[in-house]
Amino acid sequence: MNGSIAASPENPILLSRVAESAYWAGRYLERAEGMARLIKSHSELVIDLPRAGGLGWEPLLAVVGTELGPEYDLHTEEAVVDHLAHNHGNPGSICTAIEGVHYNLRVTRSVMPIEAAELIIELHTIANNDGRPANDRRTRRQWLTNIMRSCQTLSAILNDTMTHDDAFSFFTIGRQLERADLTTRVLDVHAGVLTGRPTDALAPYTGLCWAATLRSVSMLQAFRRRGVSASPTATLEFLLNDNNCPRTVRSCIDEASRWLLELPQNHEAITACAAVGSFLEDADVEELAIGDLHGFADRLEVAISEIHQKIHTTWFRPATTAVLS
Amino acid sequence: MSRFAVTHTTTYRYQSTVSSSYGQACLLPRSSPEQSVISAALTVQPQPAHMTTRVDAFGNLVSYIEVREPHQLLEVTATSEVDIVRPQIQFLPAVQESLAEARRKLVELEAVERVEAARFLTASSRVPLDDQVRNYALASIVEDRPVFDFIRNLTERINSDFTFDSSATTVTSTIADLFERGGGVCQDFAHLAVGCLRSAGLPARYVSGYLETFPPAGQPKLIGADVSHAWAAVLIPGAGWVNCDPTNNQFADDRYVTTAWGRDYDDVTPVKGVIYSNGGMTQLSVSVDVHRIVPDQQQPQ
Amino acid sequence: MKSDWTGYSSITFDELVDGDGKPRTGNEAVFQRLADLGPALVERQRAAEAEIRSMGITFTLYTEGSSIDRAWPIDVIPRIITASEWNTISGGLIQRLKALNMFIEDVYNEQNVVNDGILPAQWLEDSANFRTECCGVHPAGGVWAHISGSDLVRDATGQMMVLEDNLRVPSGVSYMLENRQISKRVFADLFRDLDIHPLDNYTEELGKMLSKLSPRDDVEPVIALLTPGIFNSAYYEHGMLATQIGAHLVEGSDLQVVDNIVYMKTVRGLVRVDVIYRRVDDLFLDPAVFRSDSTLGAAGLMAAWRAGNVALANAPGAGVADDKVLYSYVPDFIRYYLNEEPTLPNVPTWRCMEPDHRQHVLANLDSLVCKPANESGGKGVTIGNRATEEELDHLRTEIETDPRNWIAQPILSLSTSPTLCDGIIAPRHIDLRPFVLSSDEPFVSVGGLTRVALREGSLIVNSSQGGGSKDTWIVDESVRPDRLLEHRQPGQQQVQRSGNGQNPS
């Protein structure tokens, strides 16, 4: 067998296992932040809406595709929030996500800047606060804000100090895919519930609800700056296809593709990204706003997870054992 | 003198495809004063990506096998031809000396021999020298009787106290299991014999190999119907290593082919290793054929 | 806290002050500085602890199946050794490791040490870490234990001696390096005023030594540090060392042997590995040879190593001399292989499998330390004068049942060093683990990891059992900077061998 590939200063060797951890560190970091924002904006919406609107907390559970475990008696606000924020047994909770960040960044220590270490510990400490502060409306907002701020600071530090090498690519791709995924799920559940057949009681508040949808993915401000009214079609088009705002599905996928281009053997993953791109392009938002948004979002989610699959088989668990020359 | 052609095939059938397999085999016969190896070869299917054979710490031939071709069947075949001449040990004067004398004479051995003997004197991973083993040995130990009588008595007792029962134990069974179940196979008998010999203060080895068998009267000998075998060997100063077989209650003669020896089974495991697959069952089958041949250069007498 | 040293006194040899409470040579400045600091020392200690937490320096503690990351316990008061004494110590360690490596090479090949009657063959066979799988191998340069850490203690008379050798996978070097980082920040002023020998060249020397082991001389060697993974107690150290020497921190699952060559799986394909600094125990290195249930190693690794296609540091089987029975023969090995007298003495050791030694041990259990021959980290150690009658009875049975597994040593009154305990400076027992890199140009870390038993009177320094650590300063006593507040005669410590006639080995 002739030699193998050599490392170069621009192209340091990255173990598949470490790449996988960098990718998951990105995903978990984004998940923790996204979940915190989601709970926060939903809390605000619930406060804004009249009780009669019948808006409960179940939609939030649907977003993360989880159900309350037997340890919770009722679908109360406190139970749902506790499950989504503090429950270590829930793979989609903020705590679990931060545990995931902590673990994966430990694995990737060798490729992560030392400055991040302190923040990770801090984030971990906030997340594991014994008091379950998210459950109480009085402390919830502050705790969620702290989580979001710490996540953002950590992202910023990693962005600013990490060498833009393969590890950084995987980290960024993980973040972008998680973000695209979250925006899609929010659309699926949050907006889907509202656009399909809004209950009579909620009808007067659809504007509020759309605003909440945008807020939950941190895009309300950006959207308003466009000066368009918050019609379902305009909002949908914006959430899916806007290519300036960093949290729309399109922006996330474009950004992921951009970083995939930096990696070797990226053909399959790039193709999967392109498939999501054309899927978005072909979306008829007029139709979707009154039609099968749920089915659309499902298909979009599947298309996004296809990118994940390709990344997984190409770099994390390559089937081939051939030595590259 | 006897000449044998031995074929030993180990076949693994896997339920799911194995992507790679790394292992080592201790199947090629070693040479010794009693055994000359005329030819020996190891073949593996599928073709290994890498295979090397080395001499291990005990002088055995150990082959490292790396298979990286996806497969559902792995076949390891050792073929060899050996000549065997063993002395009739009961006629050697040294074995008629007392057990105490034999033990005493160990210290008079040449340094290299003494060092070699020392490694077979103490407990090893599969042969503990615990109370159970010591007490069992005690019944055969008579210090001022010939060492030959001790060995013969011990061999006889193991043979009669335990039944041959291949369902009683497995390759990982211990001497304690043998005592508990009252039966076992040659591996268990040999381990117990080795333990008893060591607890009597004599160096003892575990020997792996084969024994020529004969079909029931009037029936042809079937190819592959033989089995691999194991017994014990004990060092008697002046007589060398004496091979005794508690499974068949006899001293080894020209029908015993030696593959390897060590402190116990773990040193001479025929085939071991790891495979990479998605799980599923493994089916193991072993076929051994010990075939007596008439040497070309020697006229039948 | 008292701002002077009145009231500070040790029941045994103290590293900082002599019997009259005066600072020993080389310690004057630190002595004065600590006194000047007064209560502010507590602040410095807090600062150091905060630093450790923020740097994430941890060790992992295992209790009842779960693991907890604990902040590394450091005591800011340094332990000081004069350069001249240090020269003797490091020379003694180089001598010791040279002999030990020759011993290991010998036992896996010719076994002359046994054939010539220096070491009884049986003790070798019974060493839990003697690996017959390594017989016949000749690692490059005859070096098996490339990285070792021997534990040194000083007895009541001030004599430095070797308590044990760690040739398998010695740990602690990262804490030695981190302690220096911390103490540099806490005592920046002293580092300016004193000639404290730097020690950060350790990792550079480690990297150089490992690179030289590469079987390929035509390419830049690829070095991997093989860790059991994130849940190992020394994972922090593995990560830190890998980063500093530019090695890849790999786990068993990252490695794959192809055609008897070791590769690691990367996102750009398989990359050949030349040198593996392994922090995984022998028996887990290769499931095809050792424990087949191990996922911490790589199948085929041993064959690749034997073929010379990859270097393993430390070599498998190097731990053969960690056995405490074999340890007791090290002075004989030094004489046998080097034809020299050992510079550093052993702690007198009784071997329980020798009838006369055993008799002595059993008759004096309450005044001896008994240790299992093949444990590490202080496991199974019984200190006679602190054990209950019941514990001693149990020990007696154990020794009688399996004498080969037991050795005994006199209860040493380990030297003490002033240590900050709940705001008070108090004497605490310490040891020292210097790290030795063996090659044709051997290197000893400048100082080492000083471990301190934080509980009053305790002799157990292991971090897993409530031990802490200190920075170790090698200070030039021959240069007397004018800056120093006091001038003293360099009354050099006389290094004496303890010829008390009790040494049975």
Side-chain angles (χ1 to χ4, degrees):
Chain A
M1 196 85 34
N2 292 326
S4 51
I5 61 147
S8 65
E10 323 78 72
N11 190 10
I13 291 167
L14 179 65
L15 294 169
S16 294
R17 178 178 53 83
V18 177
E20 185 169 12
S21 268
Y23 171 84
W24 279 107
R27 285 202 82 135
Y28 281 125
L29 188 58
E30 197 62 31
R31 187 173 296 175
E33 188 196 332
M35 184 55 62
R37 182 176 294 107
L38 199 57
I39 298 173
K40 195 172 156 207
S41 75
H42 196 82
S43 299
E44 284 162 8
L45 180 63
V46 167
I47 293 166
D48 286 348
L49 289 177
R51 267 170 203 277
L55 178 72
W57 286 84
E58 287 85 352
L60 270 192
L61 291 177
V63 170
V64 278
T66 170
E67 280 177 27
L68 290 186
E71 66 271 36
Y72 300 103
D73 295 335
L74 292 166
H75 280 209
T76 58
E77 171 174 345
E78 194 187 322
V80 173
V81 173
D82 185 77
H83 181 63
L84 295 177
H86 298 303
N87 186 358
H88 279 278
N90 170 16
S93 76
I94 293 178
C95 281
T96 311
I98 286 172
E99 212 58 62
V101 175
H102 188 241
Y103 173 86
N104 285 292
L105 285 184
R106 254 189 107 175
V107 172
T108 55
R109 214 186 92 103
S110 57
V111 294
M112 289 290 163
I114 201 96
E115 291 90 333
E118 196 174 344
L119 255 159
I120 294 163
I121 294 167
E122 194 184 302
L123 180 60
H124 200 237
T125 314
I126 298 174
N128 288 299
N129 187 310
D130 293 335
R132 300 178 106 82
N135 298 0
D136 189 331
R137 280 192 188 179
R138 283 167 303 179
T139 45
R140 182 184 302 157
R141 196 188 153 81
Q142 190 55 51
W143 185 76
L144 292 171
T145 308
N146 287 346
I147 292 279
M148 284 158 57
R149 194 165 293 152
S150 294
C151 287
Q152 285 166 341
T153 315
L154 186 53
S155 295
I157 285 189
L158 294 173
N159 252 319
D160 289 352
T161 53
M162 257 180 100
T163 318
H164 284 198
D165 54 13
D166 289 350
F168 186 77
S169 301
F170 282 105
F171 173 72
T172 310
I173 292 164
R175 287 184 62 199
Q176 296 300 336
L177 290 187
E178 183 71 24
R179 211 177 253 192
D181 197 51
L182 194 72
T183 303
T184 309
R185 283 162 185 268
V186 165
L187 256 187
D188 184 1
V189 182
H190 224 183
V193 165
L194 297 169
T195 55
R197 275 164 209 80
T199 62
D200 291 344
L202 272 184
Y205 305 104
T206 43
L208 257 185
C209 295
W210 277 110
T213 306
L214 285 164
R215 197 188 296 122
S216 62
V217 286
S218 196
M219 288 194 285
L220 182 58
Q221 238 185 322
F223 180 77
R224 284 196 173 139
R225 231 178 282 133
R226 303 289 146 96
V228 232
S229 77
S231 72
T233 21
T235 317
L236 262 180
E237 178 62 25
F238 179 76
L239 282 170
L240 291 176
N241 272 322
D242 188 274
N243 48 18
N244 289 319
C245 181
R247 285 173 199 272
T248 68
V249 181
R250 168 165 300 281
S251 295
C252 295
I253 298 300
D254 285 353
E255 190 66 6
S257 306
R258 194 163 82 74
W259 288 99
L260 280 169
L261 281 174
E262 305 289 321
L263 298 171
Q265 294 111 42
N266 54 18
H267 180 70
E268 290 197 345
I270 297 264
T271 308
C273 283
V276 175
S278 19
F279 189 77
L280 291 171
E281 209 125 296
D282 299 344
D284 182 346
V285 286
E286 302 280 344
E287 172 81 31
L288 285 177
I290 50 162
D292 185 19
L293 182 58
H294 180 66
F296 172 83
D298 264 1
R299 289 194 297 280
L300 181 54
E301 265 179 65
V302 170
I304 293 170
S305 74
E306 188 59 25
I307 305 176
H308 167 78
Q309 277 311 322
K310 294 301 179 206
I311 289 172
H312 188 85
T313 49
T314 307
W315 293 292
F316 305 156
R317 298 278 188 286
T320 166
T321 59
V323 177
L324 300 182
S325 310
Chain B
M1 188 199 78
S2 307
R3 175 169 293 187
F4 293 102
V6 180
T7 307
H8 180 159
T9 304
T10 310
T11 310
Y12 296 90
R13 287 184 176 80
Y14 306 108
Q15 198 173 33
S16 55
T17 301
V18 168
S19 59
S20 56
S21 162
Y22 297 81
Q24 64 179 40
C26 185
L27 289 169
L28 295 173
R30 61 178 295 157
S31 297
S32 71
E34 296 90 26
Q35 174 170 295
S36 34
V37 177
I38 298 155
S39 68
L42 190 72
T43 55
V44 178
Q45 284 302 328
Q47 186 66 32
H50 189 86
M51 184 158 93
T52 43
T53 298
R54 67 185 173 93
V55 178
D56 77 359
F58 305 96
N60 305 312
L61 298 171
V62 176
S63 310
Y64 165 69
I65 304 161
E66 180 188 322
V67 176
R68 278 182 303 100
E69 192 178 310
H71 58 278
Q72 281 190 288
L73 185 141
L74 181 74
E75 199 174 78
V76 181
T77 305
T79 51
S80 59
E81 259 185 59
V82 296
D83 280 344
I84 296 158
V85 185
R86 282 187 201 272
Q88 300 230 309
I89 65 115
Q90 64 269 36
F91 301 128
L92 299 175
V95 300
Q96 298 304 335
E97 293 192 289
S98 73
L99 170 58
E101 184 63 7
R103 193 190 296 121
R104 195 193 60 74
K105 281 195 170 165
L106 287 172
V107 297
E108 292 171 4
L109 291 172
E110 292 287 312
V112 177
E113 266 183 288
R114 204 169 62 235
V115 169
E116 169 70 6
R119 57 196 332 191
F120 299 107
L121 260 174
T122 54
S124 55
S125 56
R126 300 293 289 273
V127 182
L129 298 185
D130 53 16
D131 288 348
Q132 201 168 29
V133 172
R134 282 177 198 284
N135 289 336
Y136 188 83
L138 270 182
S140 294
I141 296 177
V142 185
E143 290 291 335
D144 50 6
R145 295 279 299 146
V147 66
F148 179 78
D149 293 1
F150 162 63
I151 302 167
R152 191 170 56 187
N153 181 263
L154 179 70
T155 309
E156 263 170 27
R157 279 177 58 229
I158 295 175
N159 183 265
S160 62
D161 288 350
F162 300 96
T163 53
F164 187 89
D165 178 0
S166 57
S167 66
T169 56
T170 66
V171 286
T172 57
S173 293
T174 61
I175 292 179
D177 293 335
L178 175 68
F179 277 111
E180 196 190 310
R181 314 228 159 104
V185 296
C186 56
Q187 177 189 326
D188 309 303
F189 291 14
H191 276 153
L192 177 58
V194 166
C196 292
L197 292 162
R198 287 181 192 168
S199 65
L202 297 175
R205 290 167 178 162
Y206 176 95
V207 187
S208 72
Y210 312 95
L211 169 60
E212 181 192 25
T213 59
F214 300 100
Q219 288 179 31
K221 184 169 174 172
L222 300 172
I223 303 284
D226 294 321
V227 291
S228 52
H229 192 43
W231 60 93
V234 52
L235 180 66
I236 308 298
W241 290 89
V242 171
N243 288 259
C244 61
D245 177 7
T247 310
N248 294 297
N249 188 22
Q250 61 193 15
F251 287 91
D253 55 21
D254 286 2
R255 294 171 298 150
Y256 283 76
V257 179
T258 301
T259 304
W261 62 63
R263 293 164 298 188
D264 53 40
Y265 175 84
D266 286 352
D267 284 335
V268 295
T269 310
V271 183
K272 67 173 184 177
V274 285
I275 55 165
Y276 293 92
S277 75
N278 295 321
M281 303 269 290
T282 300
Q283 199 197 351
L284 166 68
S285 57
V286 178
S287 136
V288 174
D289 185 48
V290 181
H291 180 62
R292 185 181 283 267
I293 49 177
V294 179
D296 299 336
Q297 69 273 35
Q298 192 184 326
Q299 296 302 315
Q301 291 170 355
Chain C
M1 195 192 77
K2 295 191 176 74
S3 58
D4 62 356
W5 291 90
T6 25
Y8 180 85
S9 80
S10 173
I11 53 155
T12 181
F13 185 97
D14 190 81
E15 300 280 339
L16 188 81
V17 296
D18 61 20
D20 303 327
K22 300 259 166 47
R24 294 183 190 278
T25 309
N27 287 266
E28 300 89 345
V30 172
F31 181 84
Q32 190 55 49
R33 192 76 189 91
L34 291 173
D36 292 348
L37 270 173
L41 184 63
V42 180
E43 299 306 316
R44 304 246 172 146
Q45 174 69 30
R46 289 214 187 99
E49 285 164 8
E51 194 86 36
I52 282 170
R53 274 194 301 275
S54 71
M55 284 163 74
I57 307 173
T58 59
F59 71 102
T60 312
L61 201 62
Y62 294 90
T63 37
E64 286 144 20
S66 67
S67 63
I68 319 154
D69 281 352
R70 285 278 177 80
W72 175 249
I74 182 182
D75 178 75
V76 290
I77 303 176
R79 183 258 184 91
I80 294 158
I81 300 173
T82 60
S84 64
E85 184 183 14
W86 181 250
N87 282 340
T88 312
I89 294 172
S90 62
L93 287 168
I94 288 172
Q95 176 195 52
R96 191 173 178 95
L97 264 299
K98 193 172 171 199
L100 277 168
N101 273 303
M102 290 172 80
F103 167 72
I104 304 169
E105 170 79 6
D106 186 21
V107 297
Y108 287 118
N109 290 285
E110 309 301 321
Q111 300 201 337
N112 290 325
V113 68
V114 183
N115 296 333
D116 289 345
I118 307 297
L119 175 71
Q122 213 158 315
W123 309 154
L124 173 63
E125 280 304 317
D126 285 343
S127 165
N129 294 301
F130 180 63
R131 309 257 171 262
T132 51
E133 293 83 353
C134 300
C135 288
V137 181
H138 296 282
V143 177
W144 290 67
H146 306 86
I147 302 138
S148 60
S150 295
D151 291 344
L152 306 182
V153 294
R154 204 197 285 279
D155 69 6
T157 68
Q159 172 65 54
M160 236 350 154
M161 43 180 85
V162 181
L163 182 66
E164 64 178 61
D165 301 294
N166 295 282
L167 307 173
R168 270 175 294 178
V169 282
S171 65
V173 77
S174 62
Y175 302 119
M176 171 187 90
L177 298 166
E178 298 287 14
N179 285 354
R180 176 56 56 87
Q181 293 308 313
I182 304 278
S183 75
K184 265 193 202 165
R185 288 177 215 188
V186 175
F187 291 119
D189 40 1
L190 283 176
F191 275 86
R192 199 181 49 233
D193 295 347
L194 279 173
D195 286 318
I196 301 166
H197 293 202
L199 60 70
D200 35 15
N201 51 348
Y202 175 82
T203 43
E204 195 189 316
E205 293 290 334
L206 173 64
K208 249 184 2 204
M209 186 272 289
L210 291 171
S211 296
K212 279 198 293 189
L213 297 176
S214 173
R216 294 190 294 174
D217 45 19
D218 54 335
V219 293
E220 190 67 23
V222 176
I223 303 173
L225 191 155
L226 177 62
T227 173
I230 179 163
F231 297 111
N232 183 268
S233 61
Y235 182 74
Y236 171 82
E237 171 160 311
H238 304 162
M240 177 205 171
L241 287 178
T243 307
Q244 294 208 5
I245 61 177
H248 301 276
L249 184 62
V250 303
E251 295 180 12
S253 62
D254 295 322
L255 299 178
Q256 184 174 21
V257 176
V258 178
D259 289 351
N260 223 12
I261 289 172
V262 184
Y263 294 87
M264 54 187 185
K265 301 173 199 165
T266 83
V267 295
R268 290 174 190 268
L270 295 177
V271 172
R272 178 166 177 177
V273 180
D274 299 297
V275 181
I276 298 177
Y277 175 17
R278 55 102 179 186
R279 298 293 296 259
V280 167
D281 277 334
D282 287 354
L283 295 183
F284 294 88
L285 276 180
D286 184 345
V289 176
F290 301 114
R291 292 181 56 152
S292 60
D293 59 343
S294 168
T295 54
L296 303 180
L301 187 57
M302 284 293 285
W305 172 66
R306 201 179 281 113
N309 292 338
V310 69
L312 289 175
N314 292 350
V320 58
D322 282 359
D323 183 302
K324 293 188 177 65
V325 170
L326 268 54
Y327 150 87
S328 71
Y329 285 95
V330 174
D332 299 327
F333 298 160
I334 293 173
R335 294 183 194 104
Y336 176 69
Y337 291 108
L338 305 178
N339 202 20
E340 292 172 12
E341 273 306 302
T343 306
L344 290 169
N346 264 13
V347 174
T349 303
W350 285 272
R351 299 183 278 258
C352 292
M353 71 281 179
E354 295 188 15
D356 49 333
H357 286 211
R358 181 164 64 244
Q359 208 178 350
H360 174 87
V361 171
L362 292 174
N364 296 283
L365 275 186
D366 56 351
S367 59
L368 294 170
V369 183
C370 291
K371 300 177 175 177
N374 282 295
E375 290 285 359
S376 60
K379 249 184 281 172
V381 173
T382 306
I383 301 174
N385 61 358
R386 298 180 188 202
T388 63
E389 217 31 65
E390 228 179 354
E391 284 167 335
L392 290 183
D393 283 344
H394 179 70
L395 177 66
R396 189 170 288 116
T397 319
E398 296 235 345
I399 292 176
E400 281 165 346
T401 321
D402 189 6
R404 168 62 179 86
N405 193 38
W406 290 92
I407 57 114
Q409 294 170 334
I411 301 172
L412 294 179
S413 185
L414 304 187
S415 63
T416 57
S417 171
T419 302
L420 201 50
C421 303
D422 296 324
I424 310 274
I425 296 180
R428 288 292 182 267
H429 296 293
I430 57 170
D431 78 350
L432 176 67
R433 178 179 286 185
F435 296 88
V436 184
L437 303 177
S438 295
S439 70
D440 49 358
E441 298 166 274
F443 174 84
V444 183
S445 60
V446 182
L449 177 66
T450 292
R451 297 186 299 176
V452 50
L454 293 174
R455 260 171 306 175
E456 187 171 1
S458 169
L459 294 169
I460 308 288
V461 296
N462 306 79
S463 56
S464 55
Q465 299 189 34
S469 70
K470 287 168 167 291
D471 190 18
T472 310
W473 293 1
I474 306 304
V475 178
D476 242 327
E477 77 280 43
S478 54
V479 186
R480 310 263 77 208
D482 300 337
R483 302 186 281 265
L484 287 186
L485 299 162
E486 250 184 296
H487 184 80
R488 275 170 199 279
Q489 285 301 316
Q492 198 180 325
Q493 190 63 36
Q494 203 63 38
V495 181
Q496 274 181 343
R497 304 209 47 198
S498 64
N500 58 5
Q502 281 209 50
N503 191 336
S505 43

